[in-house]
Amino acid sequence: MSDTAHRPAAVIILAAGEGTRMKSTTPKVLHRIGGDTLLGHAMRAARGAGADSTVVVIRHQRDRVAAFIEECNAKGESRVLVADQDEVKGTGRAAECGLDVLPADLTGTVVVTMGDVPLLTAETISQLTTAHVEAGAAVTVITSILDDAKMYGRVIRDADGNVERIVEFKDADETQRAVREINSGIYAFDADVLRAQLAKVTTDNAQGEKYLTDVLALAREDGGRVIAHVLQDLWQTEGVNDRTQLAELGRVLNQRTCERHMRAGVTIVDPASTWIDVDVEIGQDTTLLPGTQLLGATTVGAESVVGPEVTLTDCEVGDRATIRRAEGHLAVVHDDATVGPYSYLRPGTVLGAKGKIGGFVETKNAQIGAGAKVPHLTYCGDATIGDGANIGAGTIFANYDGVTKGHTNVGRHSFVGSNSVLVAPVDIADGAYVAAGSAITGAVAPGQIAIARGNQRNIDGWVDRRRAGTATADAAHAAERAAQSVEGPPSSETLS
Ligand code: UD1
Ligand code: MG
């Protein structure tokens, strides 16, 4: 916010409407884009504009919407009030119900926005408020000039070009419908004017509703100044009515988020296939390759490479890390570490600096030390792996006995041979070895190697006796003949 910006005394967010075109059991304003609900985005804008109070007016599925607001309040973000709209319909009644939960003597600027308009920014609310206060206006309405003004309310100006009133499409005549300047539905009101004029608004119109738009004509009749704040950026006032608009606004929001990061020094090779939630943080000179999704509270440090085809939700990635073709949730990847391709990092995974989680590896609640490697084909659940340890290909951390989960420790610089099973709970000390193919059920001390598998035995002549006449037997004979011609007759010693 600039120093000259004026803060609204209150923002009233209208969100009582039904949203039938969503065809959903979820209330419209709780549908999500960019990692937050539509209402969440409206609440962020109000908060960002520094409103002293924010009120959300609800009615349709009020308990679910109220629960969402409570959830946000519980996160310690500034407290948002809830106002219940009664059975009187219309945006005017909604605004009135919003005013009712604010102090009766509230003065200053009251901004009215909508819960289904997610791209409106805090900056625009601040600019609207500033324009309103500096003009000494009673009402300032955000308007846009559209080629196709559709069913929006029309802005009717007098001969001098001053805003006279707004006429709803359903109440408009042909001349009024030809007007291309439309009401966005977002306004700044002087609090006293809003209170006084709403009391006079009737439901005498085509829809039998109490129109908020009627306040403009009434304020002007009372000698107040009514002005328009024309917004060029049409997306900011665009609302969501159905799922096609939800997708479209989601795409535009994502494009704006990508642009913000690119301007801050992040390379995004293909913004169209890169999805970044609004709260995600990314350091300078990090590169995002196509098909990357950074979601929730994910943070990525500087000079890392993420993608192609990576989805990270609520993850923390350090500097100079590389993550290719992977899925991560609530995982931490420290500086210079590498992940992928085809890795699945489940909650509680912490990969130390310069560590590695490689191809077809699944990890869960696993602390993997600095420089430690889990490179190939492994399930690593409920484990602590020390710095510099190496987990061989195909190792399975058997953490679940069907009843309880157990923990496995692998010490610093220890080495687990390929295709081993570590049956939890079990401890492998620092500086220990596990031979390939072992099933480890007991502790291994420092400096030991544990071998837990059957010894190898070779049985001579078995193929001839049990697989006579097969291609395998022919191959064996040919190999024996070749060896004989070089080395003389083979040993006849047999095992049985
Ligand atoms: C409204 C404006 C119209 C403007 C358009 C912009 C009025 C009378 N008309 O029309 O001039 O061009 O928005 O999109 O204001 N709501 C409530 N309670 C209600 C009715 C609506 O909270 O009783 C909320 C809705 O949830 C929605 C917003 O107000 O968020 C707008 O309601 P909507 O029915 O879409 O108004 P429009 O008829 O489109
Ligand atoms: Mg509408």
Side-chain angles (χ1 to χ4, degrees):
M1 232 183 303
S2 77
D3 289 347
T4 56
H6 295 80
R7 294 185 305 125
V11 174
I12 299 175
I13 302 172
L14 309 187
E18 255 196 74
T20 47
R21 278 178 283 167
M22 292 300 282
K23 301 221 164 64
S24 178
T25 55
T26 301
K28 173 165 81 173
V29 292
L30 297 191
H31 281 263
R32 302 174 72 87
I33 59 173
D36 202 353
T37 65
L38 299 180
L39 179 57
H41 288 293
M43 285 160 53
R44 282 164 189 263
R47 186 167 64 240
D52 292 331
S53 313
T54 301
V55 185
V56 181
V57 184
I58 60 178
R59 178 172 165 84
H60 180 70
Q61 294 215 55
R62 63 92 50 208
D63 288 349
R64 287 186 63 181
V65 183
F68 169 76
I69 295 166
E70 270 320 306
E71 242 172 68
C72 296
N73 285 342
K75 281 182 200 153
E77 294 158 359
S78 57
R79 186 160 180 81
V80 169
L81 304 169
V82 168
D84 283 287
Q85 187 174 352
D86 53 23
E87 58 291 333
V88 180
K89 285 190 168 160
T91 49
R93 183 59 185 164
E96 213 170 15
C97 294
L99 275 180
D100 281 349
V101 303
L102 291 167
D105 57 355
L106 180 96
T107 56
T109 304
V110 175
V111 169
V112 176
T113 68
M114 298 189 270
D116 54 1
V117 176
L119 265 54
L120 183 75
T121 64
E123 291 69 40
T124 299
I125 295 179
S126 297
Q127 284 158 10
L128 168 69
T129 309
T130 300
H132 174 78
V133 171
E134 285 177 358
V139 187
T140 305
V141 54
I142 294 185
T143 69
S144 298
I145 318 290
L146 302 184
D147 288 334
D148 173 8
K150 298 184 193 153
M151 307 259 286
Y152 286 107
R154 301 304 203 254
V155 177
I156 309 301
R157 290 177 182 260
D158 65 16
D160 299 326
N162 299 314
V163 177
E164 200 173 76
R165 63 199 170 110
I166 288 164
V167 177
E168 288 308 288
F169 179 82
K170 286 180 180 154
D171 300 295
D173 61 29
E174 281 312 306
T175 324
Q176 291 165 334
R177 286 185 179 185
V179 170
R180 289 170 48 226
E181 184 176 15
I182 61 98
N183 168 26
S184 70
I186 295 154
Y187 326 75
F189 294 96
D190 176 78
D192 291 330
V193 170
L194 183 61
R195 228 182 338 256
Q197 303 305 341
L198 272 175
K200 299 186 205 160
V201 172
T202 68
T203 57
D204 182 17
N205 52 54
Q207 304 186 85
E209 292 184 1
K210 207 163 174 178
Y211 288 167
L212 179 57
T213 46
D214 284 354
V215 169
L216 279 72
L218 291 168
R220 196 174 128 115
E221 279 164 27
D222 253 7
R225 235 189 127 191
V226 177
I227 61 170
H229 183 71
V230 185
L231 199 65
Q232 310 292 341
D233 180 2
L234 301 179
W235 289 113
Q236 281 204 43
T237 53
E238 198 67 26
V240 172
N241 293 303
D242 61 28
R243 306 220 194 199
T244 65
Q245 291 168 329
L246 184 72
E248 202 176 14
L249 288 184
R251 180 184 60 75
V252 174
L253 177 59
N254 185 60
Q255 188 186 320
R256 292 180 173 199
T257 303
C258 285
E259 283 166 9
R260 168 161 59 83
H261 289 292
M262 289 189 282
R263 269 188 231 105
V266 176
T267 294
I268 301 180
V269 172
D270 181 25
S273 72
T274 304
W275 291 84
I276 306 175
D277 281 350
V278 292
D279 284 332
V280 168
E281 293 170 18
I282 311 172
Q284 199 175 307
D285 286 317
T286 279
T287 297
L288 305 183
L289 295 168
T292 294
Q293 303 184 69
L294 301 179
L295 308 178
T298 294
T299 61
V300 180
E303 295 175 51
S304 289
V305 178
V306 181
E309 305 293 337
V310 168
T311 301
L312 300 179
T313 307
D314 300 328
C315 287
E316 191 187 320
V317 178
D319 300 336
R320 298 171 305 279
T322 303
I323 304 185
R324 287 182 291 155
R325 298 186 199 280
E327 167 105 17
H329 180 207
L330 285 167
V332 178
V333 174
H334 284 295
D335 297 348
D336 303 290
T338 67
V339 173
Y342 309 108
S343 313
Y344 180 24
L345 279 57
R346 293 168 51 201
T349 297
V350 178
L351 178 60
K354 297 188 177 161
K356 175 175 178 149
I357 293 174
F360 303 100
V361 171
E362 175 178 336
T363 58
K364 185 216 69 171
N365 185 28
Q367 292 79 52
I368 301 169
K373 294 189 167 79
V374 190
H376 328 276
L377 300 156
T378 284
Y379 173 63
C380 176
D382 300 312
T384 305
I385 298 174
D387 295 350
N390 193 307
I391 308 299
T395 298
I396 302 298
F397 289 64
N399 61 327
Y400 186 46
D401 63 8
V403 182
T404 51
K405 298 236 163 103
H407 196 89
T408 298
N409 292 308
V410 176
R412 291 176 50 244
H413 295 282
S414 288
F415 186 99
V416 176
S418 295
N419 197 37
S420 293
V421 185
L422 310 180
V423 183
V426 72
D427 277 305
I428 296 160
D430 294 351
Y433 268 69
V434 168
S438 291
I440 298 296
T441 53
V444 184
Q448 289 185 328
I449 183 167
I451 308 172
R453 63 181 183 221
N455 288 323
Q456 178 173 336
R457 38 180 213 145
N458 297 355
I459 304 170
D460 281 343
W462 187 92
V463 171
D464 253 350
R465 291 197 303 279
R466 306 296 289 267
R467 296 291 184 269
T470 62
T472 307
D474 291 348
H477 294 152
E480 281 160 2
R481 278 194 302 274
Q484 242 170 9
S485 65
V486 176
E487 297 165 13
S491 149
S492 62
E493 211 179 284
T494 52
L495 281 164
S496 57

